[in-house]
Amino acid sequence: MQQSYGVRYKTRFVKTEKDFLIYANSKFSLYLYVMNDSHFKAVEEEDAEFYIYNVLTGDVTTDIHHHSSAQLVYAEGGIVHVFTDLKHWYLPARCFMWIPAGTPHYIFSTSPKVDLYNFYFKKEENENGFFDEINIYSVSHLLREMILYTKGWDGKITKNDGAKYYFLKALKGILPEKRDKKLAFPVQHPFPKDETLLKIAKYIHANLEKPLTIESTAKEFGMSTRTLSRKFKEILGMNYVRFLRALRITRSLELMLEGKYNMYEISMMVGYNSLSSFSNIFKKVIGVPPTEYQQKLRGDR
C-alpha cells in the first residue's frame, strides 16, 4: 500500500493567493494524496520544540503547506522533489534539505524505495543565520548516523523526554557546520499534466540512452516538430532540450547512488556519446563535475 503524508486544503496552510497559485500550478496535482492532518497540528503545538515524522516507504507525497517550525528533510535512497514558490529542488539520497519556518512547499517522490526522515524545529532567539536559508547539503557520516538513530522515533519531543530532547538539540547544533558543503541544484523538471505530453515524457524517460532528438520524438508520436516544440513551451514553460536534459541529469544521479556503474557507463546510459560531453553538461547544470558530486554523495569529501 502506498503511504503518503499530506495536509488537507485548509486556511492554516494555504493563506494567500500566492500559496494558492503554487498549488494550482502544480504539475503533480494528479498525484496528490491526503491523509489525517493530526501530524501537522501537533507540530504547531507550543511545547513541540522538536517533532519527528519519518516515512519509511517509497512514493512519498504531500500537499502544499507551511508551518511555524523549520523542517529538516533527509532522504535515504532515491530522489525526492521539493517544490517551493521559487524553485524546484531535487533532494538526492544522503543529503538533507533545510526548509525555514513559514516556507510554503510540497514534496513528491516516485522512487520505489526512499526513507524520508522529517525533523521539525521551533525557531529560537538569536539563531545562526544558517537557519534562515533554504538549501540542500551533503550529510557527514556522523550526521547520517545521528539521523538514522531516530528511525524508531515518532511524534513530539519535549524536555520531559530527557535524552531524546538533548540528542535532537545536539543534532540541530551541528547543522551550521555544513554551510560550506552545499549541494543545491534547482533543476527545472515539471511533470506534464497534459495527457499527450505525459505519454511523451514517459517515452523519453524509458529511452534515455537513445539520441532522442525533437524530430525523432515528434515522429514517434505522429506530430510535427513545430507542434511538439509549442506544446513544451506552452504547457511546461520550457523547451524540449531543457526537459530532456533535466531527465538525463536526474537519471544520472539515481545511477550514481546505485554504485554499480562507473562514470563512463552512466554517461552512455543517459544518452551522452562521450564522458566529456556528459561531464560538461552535468557541471553546467549542477555546478560541479559528476565525479566530485558523487564523492560528496558518498561522504568522501
Side-chain angles (χ1 to χ4, degrees), residues 1-190:
M1 176 179 178
Q2 175 171 329
Q3 180 176 354
S4 60
Y5 81 106
V7 52
R8 300 181 190 280
Y9 180 57
K10 288 190 174 183
T11 305
R12 173 184 291 273
F13 302 109
V14 183
K15 294 182 177 180
T16 67
E17 182 180 358
K18 183 179 182 181
D19 292 351
F20 177 76
L21 287 173
I22 302 169
Y23 176 81
N25 290 327
S26 165
K27 303 302 181 184
F28 294 116
S29 58
L30 291 175
Y31 302 92
L32 296 178
Y33 298 87
V34 176
M35 66 169 281
N36 191 301
D37 64 359
S38 59
H39 133 241
F40 286 99
K41 289 180 179 179
V43 168
E44 297 295 327
E45 292 177 9
E46 189 174 345
D47 64 339
E49 186 171 346
F50 303 117
Y51 195 97
I52 294 181
Y53 188 81
N54 297 330
V55 186
L56 308 178
T57 183
D59 293 339
V60 179
T61 306
T62 78
D63 213 337
I64 180 74
H65 67 285
H66 60 80
H67 28 72
S68 61
S69 293
Q71 182 177 358
L72 182 156
V73 184
Y74 171 75
E76 179 79 3
I79 289 180
V80 174
H81 305 264
V82 181
F83 285 82
T84 66
D85 56 341
L86 297 177
K87 293 180 179 179
H88 169 191
W89 306 78
Y90 283 81
L91 175 62
R94 301 205 177 186
C95 291
F96 78 87
M97 184 170 187
W98 181 262
I99 305 174
T103 304
H105 62 282
Y106 65 95
I107 297 172
F108 179 85
S109 175
T110 55
S111 295
K113 176 59 179 174
V114 56
D115 291 346
L116 198 65
Y117 291 74
N118 295 278
F119 300 81
Y120 299 88
F121 302 91
K122 282 282 191 288
K123 190 173 179 62
E124 301 176 87
E125 292 185 8
N126 304 315
E127 281 188 332
N128 188 300
F130 167 92
F131 298 110
D132 295 323
E133 179 184 2
I134 185 170
N135 224 321
I136 292 175
Y137 304 88
S138 60
V139 170
S140 66
H141 294 303
L142 171 62
L143 181 55
R144 178 172 179 264
E145 289 303 317
M146 292 180 74
I147 291 172
L148 297 182
Y149 185 76
T150 70
K151 186 171 185 176
W153 298 11
D154 183 61
K156 180 168 57 178
I157 306 294
T158 69
K159 290 183 178 179
N160 295 329
D161 292 296
K164 286 186 177 180
Y165 174 86
Y166 289 105
F167 182 90
L168 293 176
K169 198 93 171 168
L171 189 154
K172 182 182 179 182
I174 68 172
L175 295 180
E177 298 177 8
K178 309 302 297 179
R179 174 182 285 275
D180 62 343
K181 295 185 179 180
K182 295 180 184 177
L183 282 177
F185 51 108
V187 181
Q188 294 301 311
H189 173 199

Side-chain angles (χ1 to χ4, degrees), residues 239-262:
N239 63 37
Y240 174 87
V241 172
R242 187 178 171 190
F243 182 77
L244 174 59
R245 184 181 67 183
L247 284 177
R248 283 178 163 159
I249 294 301
T250 306
R251 180 57 182 153
S252 73
L253 293 170
E254 293 174 334
L255 292 170
M256 286 181 198
L257 290 168
E258 289 182 20
K260 299 178 182 178
Y261 312 101
N262 61 42

